[in-house]
Amino acid sequence: MAESQQIKEGRTWYSKANRIVLDIAGRYQIDPYKVASVMSALSPRNKWSQNIIDTDKVCKAWRSGVRAEEIKVCTFHTNKFKAFAILDDKVSITDKSLKTYNFVRNIAFLDPTAVTIDIWHLRACFDKIIKIDSASIGRVAYGQIKALTLKKAEMLGITGFEYQAIIWTSIRK
């Protein structure tokens, strides 16, 4: 049901995000997985365009020896401190947090086995049964939705992350 513009946008969203991550990683000589993890940590309640700015700002500050307390970002303070902790190797995004882990793998590596199941994906699957403020699902349900998404994407000849991004761009509208 996605419109052609939504399909085009969805098919390119993660590759654009990946180029941004690789650019920041190269500029500050930081591992792309860490940059993607910082981006993920800074994402709550942060518009994508501002998230990119904040990720660059945090990486630049960290590389320059500036402390977290000395800069401002447009998300929660705890997330800013988490971003610095990621860069300091004190925190790592692991598969214990499935949505975040898959998102980081998608934007860092364009991992075709990773699918970011967020509130918008759940709403596409379950319609209005899922409320925006209660969108957590367990590991089994996450795995089932991920497997179904990968299967549907394969049937269309695209990656799971492209299919998820198409769903995301169309369901939000």
Side-chain angles (χ1 to χ4, degrees):
M1 294 171 53
E3 297 170 4
S4 61
Q5 182 58 33
Q6 294 165 339
I7 293 169
K8 182 180 177 185
E9 184 181 334
R11 296 229 25 214
T12 61
W13 194 91
Y14 278 104
S15 60
K16 288 177 183 176
N18 176 257
R19 284 193 298 274
I20 292 164
V21 165
L22 294 177
D23 177 57
I24 294 170
R27 200 169 329 133
Y28 304 113
Q29 286 106 35
I30 300 172
D31 179 82
Y33 191 82
K34 281 189 179 185
V35 173
S37 297
V38 166
M39 190 170 273
S40 178
L42 297 173
S43 69
R45 304 287 190 266
N46 204 355
K47 292 184 184 221
W48 177 245
S49 57
Q50 186 61 50
N51 191 349
I52 295 165
I53 293 166
D54 288 347
T55 299
D56 188 83
K57 181 190 278 188
V58 166
C59 290
K60 180 180 182 181
W62 180 81
R63 178 54 68 204
S64 301
V66 175
R67 296 175 316 140
E69 297 85 354
E70 299 176 72
I71 67 165
K72 291 184 180 183
V73 296
C74 294
T75 190
F76 306 106
H77 288 297
T78 54
N79 292 75
K80 175 179 68 172
F81 288 108
K82 180 178 180 179
F84 273 82
I86 288 166
L87 293 169
D88 288 333
D89 288 324
K90 295 178 181 171
V91 172
S92 181
I93 305 295
T94 68
D95 65 357
K96 299 252 189 260
S97 303
L98 289 172
K99 181 184 88 168
T100 306
Y101 177 74
N102 280 270
F103 179 69
V104 169
R105 294 203 55 82
N106 284 148
I107 63 175
F109 308 124
L110 297 176
D111 181 350
T113 67
V115 178
T116 306
I117 312 283
D118 64 1
I119 179 60
W120 298 105
H121 199 85
L122 292 173
R123 290 195 86 188
C125 292
F126 300 105
D127 198 26
K128 301 205 183 334
I129 300 170
I130 299 289
K131 304 291 182 219
I132 286 183
D133 58 349
S134 61
S136 65
I137 58 172
R139 295 183 79 74
V140 172
Y142 195 102
Q144 291 169 334
I145 295 168
K146 179 178 175 179
L148 180 61
T149 302
L150 290 169
K151 182 179 178 179
K152 294 282 189 180
E154 184 180 3
M155 289 169 52
L156 294 170
I158 60 177
T159 65
F161 62 78
E162 288 172 323
Y163 190 54
Q164 177 265 317
I166 292 167
I167 291 169
W168 184 77
T169 58
S170 61
I171 195 73
R172 286 183 25 242
K173 297 177 180 166

